[in-house]
Amino acid sequence: MAAGEIACAPNEPLVVSLGQKTSDSVKLPTDAHIALGRFDPHVHFREAVIPSKEQYEECGYASGSYEDVVNNIKKANGLYSIRSGCLAALHGGVTAVGAMGNTPWGPVGEKRHKLTQSHYSKHGDIPIVVWPRMEPDAPSIAGHEGKDFGSTFGGSGLTGKARADMYKLWRGQAVSYHNDQARSDETLQDFKDRENPDQRLLHHQYFNGDTVLACQKETMEIAKEAGLSSLLARHISTGPALQQIADAAKEMPYKLPAEIGLDYVYWNQERLLTQKKEIALINYRRPAHPTKADQQSLIELTRDLVRSDYAVFFGTDHAPHPIEAKAFKDGLPGSPGTRNIEHSLQFYLELVENYGYSWFDIDKLASINPAKHMAQFFEFSLEVGTMQSGAMANLTIFNPNVEYTVKEGSLKTSLEDPYYHSALIGESGLRGKTLFTVSNGTVWEIGEKISKLN
Ligand SMILES: [Zn+2]
């Protein structure tokens, strides 16, 4: 090991030098760990651009009157913002994200995608890639990765036929997809009446690992028919689901990168039963949390694949729903998804402390591989996914050796998120504290307040 210095200036490339000491340098504590900034390809920051009436009419793919759409956008924008999302990312050591477009008047078609992307670039404190949203009547956008929400639309989803036709529009292009769907043989209500499971496990046992396997199998066939170049399964939740992708990669004529849902390495159905009931009842998402056995195999297979250089990476699916949207209605769960990007470090530490992951495994899964994936579809201003002079200055500096407790009140303030709540509240045994996050040369100190130092 050698002493050295890393120089960072906003929008300037990284400079790594050995042994230099400048007067304005921040000296790091000896147990601080310095790593490549994390790239999270899957977040929902929920904010949408407000179009002018002319833009609204010109861009197309709209349903409803201009006034209604603008009202919906304002309502959504009042509940969460790009700013809060960026602060949450920085808190977790994340320096760039890929944002989803399931927002009112989202990035459907080339013009709306351009407007949404420039809105996110203008208001983001960190680089943000906006993924175009696929819709049955919207043509592909060359060089971008379309996101298919079809199997999850409005809960009931597009039919396989509608999705197959939509994929054909993206021939030769890349697509990512939501990878679970409702059961074909039974509704959630019927399942509840028949099985009457513990209320905390209703969602997780209905949308079990089989709903992921069924959706992935169908989608991989559709992608083959359509002649895609690449198909990314989002938020893989179980070992068998990851194995299914890795097996298909050997025979499918397109690339099959794999995104592991980061919080599935922490939550499983057994652990949910140890939570306070009111917290466990808002701790659901889609795909649902795995069984303990499916989680164990997910963790082992992810480690094996990353060591064999498979294109596998983490995504948090950070989904900041207001708490009201998550409440059970008529005995059935509300909107799935939780805030979690701000606790990315705590999830990585679960793997390092308990499952033998090395820090290099984490660097590949959380920084190098997702950065290389995202850079195929977005012109970053400098090279990403590497820590060397001349590359984009993206770093996370943290102390892995301290205990961590979730404090909703202080996160509400530091993340500028008035509706903040966390599924990790009350969890003991969490570890790690982010000290600084550097995103494209801007240094952020992560404390009670998250503030810029340069
Ligand atoms: Zn998502």
Side-chain angles (χ1 to χ4, degrees):
M1 296 288 278
E5 195 173 76
I6 285 178
C8 305
N11 307 310
E12 296 289 330
L14 186 69
V15 179
V16 183
S17 41
L18 282 174
Q20 287 186 357
K21 302 263 186 300
T22 53
S23 56
D24 52 356
S25 189
V26 177
K27 199 170 176 340
L28 298 176
T30 45
D31 52 358
H33 190 108
I34 180 161
L36 258 178
R38 309 313 185 186
F39 274 56
D40 188 336
H42 191 161
V43 302
H44 296 260
F45 283 179
R46 301 180 74 86
E47 190 173 319
V49 60
I50 300 177
S52 68
K53 187 138 200 208
E54 292 73 51
Q55 286 169 331
Y56 180 79
E57 276 155 12
E58 190 198 340
C59 288
Y61 311 109
S63 52
S65 75
Y66 173 71
E67 288 71 24
D68 286 350
V69 168
V70 169
N71 280 337
N72 278 341
I73 295 174
K74 286 184 175 159
K75 215 156 92 196
N77 290 1
L79 292 170
Y80 201 72
S81 65
I82 296 170
R83 168 75 178 170
S84 295
C86 290
L87 291 172
L90 291 164
H91 188 276
V94 178
T95 55
V97 296
M100 292 299 171
N102 56 339
T103 46
W105 208 73
V108 180
E110 195 154 8
K111 287 180 188 158
R112 271 167 51 173
H113 176 254
K114 257 201 189 118
L115 282 172
T116 308
Q117 177 65 66
S118 60
H119 180 78
Y120 272 67
S121 295
K122 182 170 167 215
H123 295 279
D125 291 296
I126 61 176
I128 302 175
V129 179
V130 173
W131 305 114
R133 186 172 95 209
M134 293 166 76
E135 290 279 353
D137 52 353
S140 67
I141 308 177
H144 289 265
E145 184 183 73
K147 172 71 199 284
D148 161 29
F149 290 96
S151 77
T152 188
F153 264 172
S156 57
L158 294 178
T159 63
K161 168 83 173 78
R163 290 178 73 219
D165 289 344
M166 185 166 81
Y167 276 47
K168 282 180 193 143
L169 299 172
W170 285 74
R171 176 177 290 277
Q173 301 292 328
V175 162
S176 78
Y177 67 106
H178 182 100
N179 65 339
D180 81 338
Q181 59 198 9
R183 295 183 183 198
S184 56
D185 56 342
E186 194 171 37
T187 64
L188 181 57
Q189 180 70 58
D190 290 345
F191 175 79
K192 178 173 179 274
D193 295 344
R194 179 171 63 80
E195 284 278 325
N196 198 24
D198 185 296
Q199 199 188 9
R200 287 167 291 184
L201 297 185
L202 167 62
H203 173 89
H204 311 278
Q205 293 189 343
Y206 174 75
F207 291 104
N208 65 357
D210 292 345
T211 67
V212 179
L213 291 173
C215 183
Q216 290 187 169
K217 181 172 186 287
E218 180 177 314
T219 308
M220 289 190 287
E221 287 304 324
I222 290 174
K224 188 178 171 191
E225 270 308 276
L228 298 187
S229 62
S230 168
L231 178 70
L232 170 64
R234 294 283 187 178
H235 37 48
I236 295 168
S237 55
T238 69
L242 182 54
Q243 187 67 57
Q244 187 188 38
I245 304 283
D247 289 344
K250 292 176 194 137
E251 52 194 53
M252 285 299 180
Y254 49 82
K255 287 191 276 182
L256 277 158
E259 177 193 293
I260 309 302
L262 180 59
D263 53 338
Y264 300 127
V265 307
Y266 185 84
W267 295 114
N268 60 49
Q269 293 178 19
E270 254 175 54
R271 200 164 211 161
L272 287 177
L273 294 175
T274 68
Q275 281 202 292
K276 261 198 186 151
K277 194 168 180 194
E278 71 262 30
I279 310 292
L281 282 183
I282 59 162
N283 189 5
Y284 48 86
R285 73 195 227 58
R286 285 191 59 189
H289 290 308
T291 62
K292 179 108 181 160
D294 280 351
Q295 178 186 63
Q296 186 70 32
S297 58
L298 176 72
I299 291 172
E300 285 166 14
L301 186 56
T302 299
R303 192 183 52 212
D304 293 348
L305 284 177
V306 77
R307 289 181 185 173
S308 74
D309 282 332
Y310 195 93
V312 57
F313 40 85
F314 293 134
T316 59
D317 197 7
H318 179 67
H321 293 282
I323 208 152
E324 299 76 43
K326 299 190 60 67
F328 272 61
K329 281 181 205 88
D330 306 324
L332 296 177
S335 306
T338 56
R339 284 163 172 79
N340 53 26
I341 196 172
E342 69 279 14
H343 293 126
S344 298
L345 175 62
Q346 284 72 37
F347 292 129
Y348 308 143
L349 274 158
E350 173 79 1
L351 294 168
V352 171
E353 296 279 324
N354 301 327
Y355 296 96
Y357 276 53
S358 69
W359 280 113
F360 186 52
D361 294 332
I362 300 293
D363 290 343
K364 284 172 88 177
L365 287 161
S367 302
I368 300 168
N369 293 0
K372 298 288 178 208
H373 181 81
M374 288 161 68
Q376 297 174 79
F377 310 107
F378 186 80
E379 285 276 328
F380 289 100
S381 56
L382 292 159
E383 192 185 358
V384 293
T386 174
M387 197 195 295
Q388 58 182 355
S389 292
M392 190 183 279
N394 291 322
L395 303 168
T396 171
I397 299 160
F398 56 93
N399 184 346
N401 302 318
V402 290
E403 280 177 25
Y404 179 88
T405 332
V406 177
K407 294 186 192 121
E408 280 181 333
S410 68
L411 285 163
K412 210 173 263 193
T413 314
S414 61
L415 306 183
E416 299 178 17
D417 178 359
Y419 304 104
Y420 186 83
H421 59 95
S422 175
L424 282 168
I425 196 88
E427 290 299 294
S428 59
L430 300 175
R431 297 177 73 80
K433 182 180 186 327
T434 307
L435 305 171
F436 302 95
T437 303
V438 182
S439 175
N440 195 13
T442 299
V443 182
W444 300 81
E445 184 166 19
I446 314 300
E448 286 293 305
K449 212 173 152 358
I450 297 178
S451 36
K452 269 189 218 181
L453 295 189
N454 63 348

